[in-house]
Amino acid sequence: MTSNIHFYEPRNGHGLPHDPFNAIVGPRPIGWISSRSADGILNLAPYSFFNAFNYTPPIIGFASIGAKDSLRNIQQTGEFVWNLATRALAEPMNASCAAVPPEVDEFALAGLTPVASRLVGVPRVGETPVAFECRCTQIVQLQTAAGETVPTWLVLGEVVGIHIDRSLLKDGVYDTGAAGHILRGGGPADYFEIGAEQLFRMYRPK
């Protein structure tokens, strides 16, 4: 009997033109992370492995695949800012992921404005409508099921300050559809935009 299921063991390869893992676990919110080195050099970079992990206190996290500048900066200072990537900021966000030396300021590279945070020493992106000021809580190097470490680090941070453009607060409720969130899909270049047309409501059973 012929199966319509494509099965593979990742360790042996997927046998497809492009790895489907990222496309299946998606679309994913973008971890657009600003940080500052101990020497004061600014860094801004998007991470596609990002999400929220706790509500009270709010904790978010992103994975650095390889020891990148964001990871090193946060290890040095213990602080970072998450900046919301929107459709209007898609091109600057993409520009900020260029592979450049650590001394290059991605804010300047992408034509973005660093604005001082209230509680941490790392600036937020002035053009974004939402930003989270964070203090690092844990940095965990990932490992395989066999206990072997892999060159990926999960960076977790407590959100200690939140900036929201008041235009996105409708009767005190944050309007996700109006903000223009963009999300990372699969493939080498796929993104999705969230709008009001994707909205449906479903309440938890009582």
Side-chain angles (χ1 to χ4, degrees), residues 4-147:
N4 287 327
I5 299 296
H6 177 76
F7 173 80
Y8 68 95
E9 297 179 60
R11 63 180 179 173
N12 298 326
H14 49 74
L16 299 169
H18 193 274
D19 190 339
F21 176 76
N22 289 4
I24 296 168
V25 185
R28 303 179 305 283
I30 297 166
W32 200 14
I33 306 298
S34 52
S35 62
R36 186 195 299 270
S37 72
D39 296 330
I41 300 171
L42 297 183
N43 183 266
L44 179 64
Y47 291 85
S48 68
F49 288 140
F50 165 83
N51 223 306
F53 294 97
N54 197 52
Y55 193 51
T56 306
I59 292 175
I60 62 172
F62 70 95
S64 175
I65 300 176
K68 297 179 180 177
D69 295 337
S70 302
L71 172 67
R72 288 189 288 266
N73 291 350
I74 296 166
Q75 287 172 325
Q76 291 171 5
T77 69
E79 298 178 334
F80 64 95
V81 175
W82 171 79
N83 304 275
L84 175 66
T86 65
R87 185 65 185 90
L89 293 171
E91 294 300 329
M93 180 277 296
N94 193 46
S96 72
C97 75
V100 294
E103 62 270 17
V104 174
D105 178 349
E106 286 87 357
F107 278 91
L109 180 68
L112 296 165
T113 308
V115 175
S117 293
R118 297 276 192 95
L119 303 174
V120 302
V122 177
R124 58 189 174 89
V125 172
E127 289 78 6
T128 188
V130 183
F132 294 167
E133 300 183 24
C134 303
R135 293 197 177 109
C136 182
T137 58
Q138 292 170 272
I139 297 177
V140 181
Q141 185 170 7
L142 303 188
Q143 62 181 34
T144 67

Side-chain angles (χ1 to χ4, degrees), residues 168-176:
L168 297 177
L169 298 174
K170 310 298 185 184
D171 298 322
V173 178
Y174 180 75
D175 189 345
T176 304

